[in-house]
Amino acid sequence: MTPSLVANGGVAAGEAVAAPVTGRVAAVYSEVQSSRIDHKLPLPSVLTKPFKVVDGPASSAAGNPDEIAKLFPNVFGQPSALLVPSDSDSALPQQKLKIGVVLSGGQAPGGHNVISGIFDYLQDRAKGSTLYGFRGGPAGIMKNKYIELNSEYIYPYRNQGGFDMICSGRDKIETPEQFKQAEETAVKLDLDGLVVIGGDDSNTNACLLAENFRGKNLKTRVIGCPKTIDGDLKCKEVPTSFGFDTACKIYAEMIGNVMIDARSTGKYYHFVRLMGRAASHITLECALQTHPNITIIGEEVQNLIAELNEILAHDVVDEGGLWKNKLTSQSLQLFDFLPEAIQEQLMLERDPHGNVQVAKIETEKMLIQMVETDLEKRRQEGSYNGQFKGQSHFFGYEGRCGLPTNFDSTYCYALGYAAGALLHSGKTGVISSVGNLAAPVEEWTVGGTALTSLMDVERRHGKFKPVIKKAMVELEGAPFKKFASLRKDWAINNRYISPGPIQFHGPASNALSHTLLLELGVQA
Ligand code: FBP
């Protein structure tokens, strides 16, 4: 038997557990983990002194503003808020707050620091407040499953990867009954506020909750935080989602290692698939960090998946393949061209948000098969007599819970601290926004962006639904353009870069991702 390791979080097979009941024990930490706990995090200077909130002009929507206005009558059009220095904090209510926090969706390095940031804000500026952590994602809100977070419980999680402080889940608060359950929890816990740490779908849900609570005259306000390693939740005011920086650096280290492996013997061609549901920001960033010979940016093959989503939402997929008539001829051609195993994977069950579970499609194996088939054809034609051995890799889950980089640690702490400040200032339906990220941390800007301003309507499960528009790789954007200008050279020359492991000290420790720098107009 092949030697193997198994990690399942200590949960017995078949046991359904929302979150570990006991917290982490720092005594069993590695030296690096221990050294990170007490790593001091700087805050943007506006958060270290008295501040006030300045509102900008009324906002609109990313698309279809009339539809969005109808769907969010109570929160649509809110201005963006900016925190600015003030002489005193007297504008803030002098009251203890009861705040809930939930982690929603896939893990992303830095989530624990968002929670620490909220907690520290409450300790520093609203003494005697209570922070409840809903366990196991949005289901924890619906089922009123929570733990009261205190400094001893939070301490071992500071600057540590993972979401196990309260755990996450992918449930969605969707039906009238589920909204009712969320209301009941808000009332039962007398919540002044709720922070939803999640990706595009979870922040859409956060906005629906804000709308619903305000519509029902509940005092509970809702603030979102931009989380996802996929990097597809961003806009001008929210320059990046947390976790992207760490995950890409972890993957880039591994890619750099297999590149050296390839050069060491010439025995293998390594095919690497990276995580990322719809957008290819991770792949693009890792390419910019490592310079592989060939990089496929998935935005080019989106159409087929979109059509399949629509068909699966409406039609019975008959064995005779009649459903295929609904595909456009271009998508049909592509579908028929794919190996059967990949066709099957494309038809797999969608997640609760209606998304194809791309992480489960083994494109790296598909590409190896396609190359083998083509080389075999060439061999028979007499135009090839070489040797090809493909090695497939999927780097996905390995990057989601790593120790957060200095950037993610600091960014997340500021996002959480800002979420506390926004709730304290009476804001709802906004996403915590920390900007000016290429400048020293002290100069970072802090505010809140109306969630409805990020929204459009989209087809989901065959119906129009409000969604935060996913930020896909822009083929006209600076990161892609830089990649496109270099890829020909990378294809034939040895330009491999091995970035090595994440550094917490020294010259490379505070480097920002290429994507973020290029998008901010700084040469990477
Ligand atoms: P989020 O958008 O929820 O942050 O998910 C990120 C992600 O890591 C995707 O890249 C991936 O497709 C998905 O989660 C996998 O989800 P799961 O953990 O449920 O398999």
Side-chain angles (χ1 to χ4, degrees):
M1 193 183 162
T2 316
S4 58
L5 288 162
V6 178
N8 77 337
V11 177
E15 198 182 333
V17 174
V21 180
T22 50
R24 282 202 195 177
V25 183
V28 299
Y29 272 5
S30 69
E31 261 185 55
V32 179
Q33 279 181 301
S34 302
S35 73
R36 291 303 287 165
I37 300 184
D38 294 315
H39 170 69
K40 266 256 155 283
L41 295 170
L43 272 173
S45 69
V46 69
L47 290 174
T48 61
K49 297 179 208 129
F51 67 85
K52 65 179 179 195
V53 174
V54 174
D55 284 338
S59 65
S60 182
N64 292 293
D66 295 343
E67 291 299 321
I68 299 294
K70 271 187 236 153
L71 290 163
F72 296 92
N74 292 293
V75 295
F76 178 78
Q78 294 197 100
S80 289
L82 187 69
L83 269 58
V84 297
S86 169
D87 294 339
S88 78
D89 271 339
S90 57
L92 296 172
Q94 303 299 306
Q95 66 177 108
K96 295 176 189 167
L97 299 170
K98 289 188 176 151
I99 305 292
V101 59
V102 68
L103 291 164
S104 182
Q107 290 80 278
H112 290 148
N113 276 23
V114 180
I115 301 178
S116 315
I118 304 167
F119 183 79
D120 289 356
Y121 177 87
L122 296 175
Q123 295 281 304
D124 295 346
R125 304 283 182 111
K127 285 217 174 355
S129 296
T130 310
L131 182 61
Y132 298 110
F134 288 106
R135 295 172 57 213
I141 303 178
M142 295 188 274
K143 296 182 188 153
N144 197 19
K145 289 245 175 339
Y146 64 88
I147 47 170
E148 193 178 320
L149 297 167
N150 58 36
S151 46
E152 291 71 40
Y153 186 83
I154 287 180
Y155 177 70
Y157 294 94
R158 287 182 185 265
N159 301 311
Q160 308 293 319
F163 273 8
D164 50 308
M165 186 201 286
I166 52 175
C167 290
S168 185
R170 286 202 183 275
D171 298 276
K172 201 172 171 185
I173 301 172
E174 205 170 20
T175 63
E177 296 75 52
Q178 290 169 331
F179 277 107
K180 183 104 199 15
Q181 289 172 338
E183 279 163 47
E184 281 166 10
T185 296
V187 171
K188 211 176 274 170
L189 294 181
D190 191 28
L191 286 186
D192 294 290
L194 172 67
V195 182
V196 177
I197 304 171
D200 52 343
D201 287 324
S202 308
N203 274 284
T204 303
N205 221 208
C207 195
L208 286 164
L209 274 175
E211 170 67 30
N212 187 65
F213 289 156
R214 196 175 252 188
K216 298 274 168 63
N217 281 324
L218 295 191
K219 65 171 181 172
T220 315
R221 304 178 287 273
V222 186
I223 303 290
C225 268
K227 169 237 72 165
T228 175
I229 61 162
D230 290 5
D232 58 6
L233 173 53
K234 59 182 165 186
C235 61
K236 197 163 150 266
E237 288 159 305
V238 181
T240 187
S241 57
F242 77 76
F244 175 77
D245 188 74
T246 310
C248 289
K249 284 176 179 152
I250 293 172
Y251 301 141
E253 180 200 352
M254 298 197 284
I255 295 165
N257 293 349
V258 297
M259 282 170 161
I260 308 277
D261 184 86
R263 280 184 62 77
S264 300
T265 59
K267 187 170 163 191
Y268 295 119
Y269 287 78
H270 293 278
F271 286 70
V272 179
R273 173 169 52 106
L274 293 163
M275 207 167 228
R277 194 191 297 284
S280 308
H281 298 289
I282 293 179
T283 301
L284 180 56
E285 172 63 24
C286 290
L288 289 166
Q289 288 191 29
T290 61
H291 305 180
N293 300 92
I294 298 175
T295 306
I296 297 172
I297 299 296
E299 273 68 359
E300 289 156 334
V301 275
Q302 286 309 313
N303 280 356
L304 170 64
I305 291 182
E307 287 174 30
L308 287 175
N309 283 350
E310 197 67 16
I311 290 172
L312 288 180
H314 285 305
D315 296 281
V316 179
V317 176
D318 58 302
E319 297 223 335
L322 279 178
W323 62 271
K324 284 202 212 165
N325 296 338
K326 302 228 159 150
L327 291 172
T328 57
S329 64
Q330 204 187 5
S331 294
L332 181 60
Q333 248 182 22
L334 176 56
F335 189 82
D336 284 341
F337 172 72
L338 295 170
E340 209 172 307
I342 302 299
Q343 291 181 347
E344 277 165 20
Q345 288 172 9
L346 276 173
M347 306 303 287
L348 285 178
E349 203 186 323
R350 271 40 183 166
D351 77 0
H353 297 280
N355 301 309
V356 76
Q357 300 187 49
V358 182
K360 296 192 176 147
I361 299 176
E362 296 173 322
T363 33
E364 71 287 18
K365 295 193 178 146
M366 172 187 87
L367 288 168
I368 292 177
Q369 268 181 39
M370 287 162 89
V371 173
E372 279 169 352
T373 310
D374 194 66
L375 290 179
E376 189 47 42
K377 202 172 120 220
R378 292 189 203 184
R379 191 187 302 283
Q380 280 167 19
E381 289 165 359
S383 58
Y384 174 74
N385 68 354
Q387 269 216 336
F388 170 79
K389 274 193 195 158
Q391 280 291 352
S392 63
H393 308 267
F394 169 49
F395 299 150
Y397 297 95
E398 297 85 345
R400 295 204 310 190
C401 287
L403 280 169
T405 55
N406 283 346
F407 171 76
D408 271 329
S409 299
T410 312
Y411 181 53
C412 288
Y413 189 63
L415 285 171
Y417 210 91
L422 291 164
L423 282 173
H424 199 188
S425 318
K427 294 289 170 192
T428 191
V430 299
I431 185 166
S432 179
S433 315
V434 174
N436 198 25
L437 298 177
V441 179
E442 293 67 33
E443 292 166 35
W444 286 2
T445 56
V446 177
T449 305
L451 280 161
T452 47
S453 73
L454 310 183
M455 286 194 194
D456 196 348
V457 283
E458 208 175 77
R459 297 286 278 176
R460 289 278 171 109
H461 296 292
K463 286 193 189 134
F464 282 116
K465 288 263 167 87
V467 287
I468 290 181
K469 223 171 153 358
K470 266 193 203 307
M472 306 300 286
V473 166
E474 297 274 352
L475 303 187
E476 288 305 314
F480 185 84
K481 276 191 162 165
K482 171 145 192 202
F483 156 73
S485 71
L486 297 168
R487 64 174 149 185
K488 266 197 190 146
D489 178 42
W490 299 349
I492 45 170
N493 296 310
N494 170 26
R495 302 285 187 238
Y496 294 161
I497 292 184
S498 184
I502 286 172
Q503 304 292 304
F504 295 115
H505 300 282
S509 59
N510 293 321
L512 303 188
S513 69
H514 293 242
T515 305
L516 181 57
L517 283 173
L518 288 161
E519 284 176 349
L520 293 175
V522 182
Q523 203 45 47

